[in-house]
Amino acid sequence: MSVLRYLFRYPDMFRTAYFSLPFYGIMMGAAIFSATTTYAAVGAEKLRPPLSKRVLPASRTKKTPVKTEQILVTGLSRSSALTRPAGQTTYSSDRSSFANQVGQSVADMVVTIPGVSFTQGNGPRDTNISIRGSGDRQSWGLKNIQVLEDGFPMTQPDGTARADLIDPHAYQGVDIFEGPASTLYGNYAINGAINFRTRKGADIHGLELGSDFGSFGMFNNYAALGLGNRHYDLMIFGSDVRGNGFIANSRYNTSTENVRLRVNLTSADRLILKFVNNVTDAFLPARLSLNQYRANPYQQGCINASSAAAGCASVNLLVNGRYGAKVAMSPEAAGLGRFDRRTVVGLRWEHDFNSRTTWRNQFTYDQRHIDQPTSPMAYVGPYNSYNVSSDITSHAELAGRALETFAGVSFDYLDFGSQTYNIMPLGGATRGAMSSESYGHQWNLGARFQEDWHFAPDWHIVAGLGGTYSDIGATETLYGYSATTSTQRAITANRFYFNLAPEGALIYTPSKDWTLHTRVGTAYGTPSSSNLFITPQGEYGNNTQLKSQTSVGIDLGGDWHPSSTISIQATGFYEFYKNELVSQSAGVNTVGSYTFNAPASEHRGVVLGVEWKPMPKMLPGGRVKLSYTYDNQVYTNYTEVLSNSTLSRSFSRKGHYIPGVIPNFLNARFLYDQPDGPLEGLGGYAEVTWRDSYWLDNANRLKAPGYALLNLEMHYDSPAQFGWAHRLHWYFEVQNVANQTYIAGAANISDSLQANGQQAGATTLMNSTGSIYAGSPRAYFGGVRIRF
């Protein structure tokens, strides 16, 4: 029984546990009074109000001058630099952007954020989030980014994070920190970091119940309980979503519980408890070749491999589960899927030494338990990780100017033991003999600091340095079988890495309408243990020579608010990579993707975000939101060796585009919400999402076609004067209105060498399996929620 159900079943116990705590008020603020000049709080610079708000000298008349008194109440932020990194290019999305729609996955939360794209992973909510192309070339999970939730780490020590945990109904917003970010976030923050923010209990203020329903049997029931005041804040969320999927063998059932509790023990001490639990029970179709996708994108008529329709995918299974003859079976007949559990428990203590210095100590336990018959192999095992961190944030002065200092240390440890079994053709993903087992650990010890100095009225400079020592130790044992014997072979990896990441940024704010910023950031990411044991042929073996990838990135951008009706954010970036880790699939009937180091590569592009109210007087509820990203990523030094049964040849990839990276993507959303009158609360939007075509292989021979989708949504929040009906909300939306067939996710594929010594062309690569998942055809969704 889940913790959420337990709490709901015993409300009296829960009330006793939390409401009998001695609560103490916490008061923060400072007010300095002056008849002529307004000052900020201690440690801050003098404020210079704009001309329109300055107090002019009294006129010399016989009238008694009127004395004016200005009062400014200020407070120092208690937020850690990890949740608001100074100098980092940051884009955000709040609840108003995704709360009025179906909210099936994290994709609905980030679709309007510039610089962020997403592709379909392995399962309904396994969305691959990409910052500036970081995760576009991954077939599952969130890679090359550090993921936080309410400040707690959601990325395990091996760099693995997954989006299955995320039901958008539980969240207030998400912040995306773009560009190399290892100074603050350590290992694997190669393209940035993400912080998800759950809803506050005080904002929910009661009980919220909701249901979403729609095409392909989708049904999501969820509940959110929120309570809070200045002494405590409690949010409890739970959801259960299920559906049949639109591809054969893609039905699913996912449950999620999310709890956050803040208790103010004293005026200087706070405890924050975090709990997340997710169970994913999802059947999984096989990824397709481009030819299979074009012939049968949704895998209809494929259950019997011997009489399957054109374009059906299949897996080759050992008849006896050990050796010898194989038989082809459809993923549905074989029982492929993902049956995983993820549990995260975290506790943070925050202590204020004084009004200017805060100390945070945090512990997080994270268990990822997998049972994944996703190919001819089934992967089973627990991944237990532990994270301990301590940091301090201090506000002081340097040369009479405000200085904020952040310093912290962290240690995380992953202990894992997993097994791989051959799947037998008996249905239900029946396990045969063990094909391999892996045991090992990875730990990272890091330290970091950052200084943010407001050295002039309109300027501040940021400088920082972070470093991590990483230790990876693992042993992979491979088992082989024949009619008379069985063999085993062990491959051992003991790798040690030490990386440093300095950064510097300069921010200039000449007026309330302009903010200009430039930054030089650095990052690093070590290989994970799973990268070390898969060969270019997609078989278990020795790949332990991998190096850390590192990058240096330059950002130059600005925020412009020329009026109350328009806001523009734009950033240009240029990033230099060394030993970039790139993965590619060797096909469906392999054990996984192969990872290699590209010695040198470059990423460059532009990120643009616009919000505009085009007719504020005629249509005050109308808005336009636009996000666009241009992302150009190329190899500048990489030679690939291709082999066939008789020879090997080397091919330079210099100047070739890195596969899997979408070069152009755009989201334009046209919104309207009626602010008053008989139709107050009625609103909706029309949205266009465009993704450019992109390369699938290193030789740039084969492209995944681009697409454009139109989505429509309508919602109604009844106004307050409607009494109890004000507590109701409903929506209806249509996704993919034009019923386009498109590619939602495509893993990179390997190039091959033909018998004549030439690279295979597009015609051959179109038959490379293990790459493509189709996106959803036209779908209809609706939902309702009520607040008590």
Side-chain angles (χ1 to χ4, degrees):
M1 180 180 294
S2 69
V3 171
L4 180 66
R5 293 170 184 163
Y6 187 80
L7 294 178
F8 275 127
R9 186 175 179 182
Y10 299 102
D12 293 334
M13 179 204 70
F14 184 81
R15 202 178 298 114
T16 301
Y18 290 103
F19 290 92
S20 62
L21 290 174
F23 294 118
Y24 301 92
I26 179 170
M27 302 291 289
M28 282 292 298
I32 298 180
F33 303 86
S34 174
T36 58
T37 308
T38 303
Y39 289 84
V42 176
E45 62 193 60
K46 293 182 180 179
L47 296 179
R48 187 179 184 186
L51 182 61
S52 60
K53 295 184 179 180
R54 294 180 195 169
V55 179
L56 300 178
S59 59
R60 296 185 179 183
T61 66
K62 295 182 180 180
K63 295 181 181 181
T64 303
V66 178
K67 293 184 178 181
T68 62
E69 183 177 65
Q70 296 183 1
I71 301 175
L72 177 67
V73 180
T74 65
L76 297 174
S77 172
R78 298 186 186 276
S79 299
S80 162
L82 298 177
T83 56
R84 50 172 192 85
Q88 191 96 14
T89 299
T90 302
Y91 294 92
S92 300
S93 175
D94 61 28
R95 190 166 173 77
S96 63
S97 297
F98 55 83
N100 293 324
Q101 59 194 82
V102 63
Q104 294 188 87
S105 72
V106 69
D108 296 303
M109 300 176 67
V110 302
V111 65
T112 61
I113 299 180
V116 177
S117 62
F118 51 85
T119 56
Q120 180 60 52
N122 294 336
R125 287 215 311 229
D126 185 32
T127 303
N128 305 331
I129 303 175
S130 170
I131 301 176
R132 299 181 182 177
S134 62
D136 281 341
R137 47 188 178 269
Q138 303 296 142
S139 60
W140 59 274
L142 282 66
K143 297 289 187 176
N144 292 331
I145 52 179
Q146 278 288 343
V147 181
L148 308 173
E149 185 168 310
D150 296 325
F152 291 91
M154 294 289 152
T155 299
Q156 289 196 308
D158 65 348
T160 299
R162 299 199 83 131
D164 305 274
L165 294 167
I166 298 168
D167 185 324
H169 299 90
Y171 294 85
Q172 181 61 38
V174 56
D175 304 313
I176 309 290
F177 314 125
E178 301 187 0
S182 288
T183 303
L184 287 179
Y185 300 99
N187 201 7
Y188 300 114
I190 197 76
N191 279 95
I194 302 177
N195 183 48
F196 292 94
R197 294 176 277 111
T198 54
R199 302 172 67 185
K200 293 181 179 179
D203 293 338
I204 299 172
H205 191 58
L207 177 64
E208 184 176 284
L209 302 176
S211 290
D212 300 324
F213 41 86
S215 298
F216 317 115
M218 193 284 292
F219 210 104
N220 185 9
N221 291 315
Y222 62 92
L225 175 67
L227 304 166
N229 55 34
R230 64 184 182 180
H231 303 295
Y232 75 97
D233 190 272
L234 170 66
M235 189 279 298
I236 303 176
F237 175 85
S239 69
D240 183 86
V241 57
R242 60 191 63 206
N244 299 323
F246 52 87
I247 301 176
N249 200 52
S250 62
R251 62 190 184 279
Y252 59 92
N253 183 10
T254 300
S255 64
T256 301
E257 296 86 37
N258 198 318
V259 179
R260 182 179 53 79
L261 172 66
R262 171 189 55 80
V263 178
N264 293 350
L265 301 175
T266 70
S267 60
D269 294 276
R270 297 169 296 281
L271 283 180
I272 296 92
L273 172 68
K274 183 71 179 178
F275 172 80
V276 185
N277 187 67
N278 173 262
V279 177
T280 296
D281 186 348
F283 290 89
L284 197 66
R287 289 180 177 267
L288 307 178
S289 69
L290 186 57
N291 276 338
Q292 288 173 325
Y293 159 78
R294 287 174 172 171
N296 194 351
Y298 308 117
Q299 296 294 281
Q300 303 302 308
C302 296
I303 188 168
N304 295 315
S306 59
S307 59
C312 289
S314 63
V315 290
N316 297 323
L317 307 181
L318 289 166
V319 174
N320 63 9
R322 297 170 63 87
Y323 63 89
K326 295 184 178 182
V327 62
M329 294 191 72
S330 69
E332 191 169 5
L336 303 190
R338 284 183 53 221
F339 314 105
D340 301 342
R341 178 180 57 80
R342 181 85 178 272
T343 303
V344 181
V345 181
L347 182 65
R348 181 167 66 242
W349 168 48
E350 299 178 354
H351 173 71
D352 301 326
F353 288 110
N354 51 50
S355 63
R356 298 160 60 178
T357 305
T358 299
W359 183 30
R360 306 190 322 158
N361 295 280
Q362 182 170 285
F363 171 78
T364 306
Y365 169 72
D366 184 343
Q367 185 187 68
R368 172 167 52 103
H369 194 286
I370 65 171
D371 182 356
Q372 299 180 356
T374 58
S375 69
M377 309 290 179
Y379 309 87
V380 182
Y383 291 75
N384 297 294
S385 67
Y386 312 83
N387 182 292
V388 181
S389 64
S390 180
D391 60 62
I392 192 165
T393 302
S394 176
H395 299 265
E397 285 190 354
L398 178 63
R401 298 290 182 181
L403 174 70
E404 179 180 306
T405 299
F406 170 84
V409 293
S410 64
F411 175 79
D412 55 41
Y413 183 88
L414 173 69
D415 179 27
F416 66 90
S418 63
Q419 300 83 41
T420 303
Y421 297 89
N422 297 316
I423 296 178
M424 300 179 67
L426 303 178
T430 303
R431 296 178 192 170
M434 183 185 296
S435 61
S436 71
E437 60 181 339
S438 178
Y439 293 92
H441 70 268
Q442 177 169 344
W443 57 262
N444 305 288
L445 175 64
R448 61 189 72 93
F449 82 90
Q450 185 185 78
E451 301 279 6
D452 181 7
W453 183 35
H454 294 251
F455 65 92
D458 301 325
W459 296 81
H460 61 112
I461 189 171
V462 180
L465 177 67
T468 302
Y469 180 84
S470 300
D471 178 301
I472 302 175
T475 299
E476 186 91 8
T477 303
L478 309 179
Y479 296 93
Y481 306 94
S482 69
T484 57
T485 62
S486 61
T487 62
Q488 66 181 57
R489 177 169 65 98
I491 303 171
T492 301
N494 290 292
R495 300 299 309 275
F496 308 96
Y497 304 92
F498 178 69
N499 292 286
L500 287 173
E503 73 169 14
L506 185 65
I507 299 96
Y508 175 49
T509 310
S511 71
K512 63 181 182 64
D513 300 326
W514 276 100
T515 298
L516 303 175
H517 57 88
T518 186
R519 176 177 180 267
V520 177
T522 56
Y524 48 83
T526 64
S528 61
S529 59
S530 61
N531 302 143
L532 301 177
F533 300 110
I534 298 180
T535 68
Q537 292 73 38
E539 300 174 351
Y540 283 120
N542 194 321
N543 196 39
T544 59
Q545 78 288 347
L546 290 177
K547 305 174 183 177
S548 292
Q549 61 178 339
T550 60
S551 69
V552 178
I554 302 169
D555 279 16
L556 179 62
D559 301 350
W560 183 34
H561 311 282
S563 70
S564 60
T565 63
I566 189 167
S567 175
I568 301 173
Q569 286 183 276
T571 302
F573 62 91
Y574 208 122
E575 299 167 356
F576 302 87
Y577 279 71
K578 182 179 179 181
N579 295 317
E580 183 171 7
L581 293 167
V582 183
S583 297
Q584 58 192 25
S585 170
V588 165
N589 292 297
T590 59
V591 297
S593 294
Y594 165 67
T595 301
F596 61 91
N597 286 119
S601 52
E602 295 179 2
H603 303 184
R604 50 272 181 114
V606 176
V607 175
L608 173 67
V610 178
E611 292 196 37
W612 178 37
K613 295 180 179 180
M615 293 180 284
K617 294 183 178 180
M618 294 182 60
L619 292 174
R623 294 179 295 139
V624 177
K625 293 187 70 173
L626 173 73
S627 67
Y628 167 74
T629 302
Y630 168 68
D631 194 2
N632 180 294
Q633 300 190 13
V634 297
Y635 296 121
T636 55
N637 179 17
Y638 172 48
T639 298
E640 184 175 23
V641 178
L642 301 180
S643 302
N644 59 28
S645 59
T646 59
L647 74 153
S648 296
R649 287 191 60 190
S650 299
F651 297 90
S652 173
R653 304 306 187 197
K654 181 178 180 180
H656 286 216
Y657 294 103
I658 299 177
V661 178
I662 303 171
N664 294 277
F665 49 95
L666 168 76
N667 179 269
R669 184 174 285 189
F670 307 88
L671 308 98
Y672 185 81
D673 286 280
Q674 180 63 28
D676 51 31
L679 298 179
E680 180 183 351
L682 183 65
Y685 65 77
E687 175 184 68
V688 176
T689 299
W690 171 61
R691 297 290 187 266
D692 199 359
S693 60
Y694 54 95
W695 296 108
L696 292 176
D697 67 304
N698 288 326
N700 294 171
R701 300 294 180 93
L702 186 66
K703 272 190 172 184
Y707 63 88
L709 302 180
L710 171 64
N711 303 320
L712 301 176
E713 186 268 353
M714 179 177 290
H715 61 266
Y716 183 62
D717 283 305
S718 54
Q721 59 264 31
F722 281 26
W724 67 269
H726 175 59
R727 301 177 181 271
L728 286 171
H729 164 86
W730 64 261
Y731 77 90
F732 177 76
E733 68 179 282
V734 185
Q735 295 184 357
N736 191 4
V737 174
N739 202 27
Q740 296 286 318
T741 301
Y742 67 98
I743 294 176
N748 295 349
I749 60 176
S750 301
D751 289 294
S752 60
L753 189 67
Q754 295 178 321
N756 61 5
Q758 300 299 312
Q759 295 181 89
T763 302
T764 300
L765 296 180
M766 286 180 183
N767 294 312
S768 298
T769 59
S771 178
I772 293 172
Y773 277 145
S776 172
R778 184 189 298 120
Y780 304 89
F781 299 100
V784 62
R785 67 172 178 261
I786 184 170
R787 294 181 292 110
F788 297 97

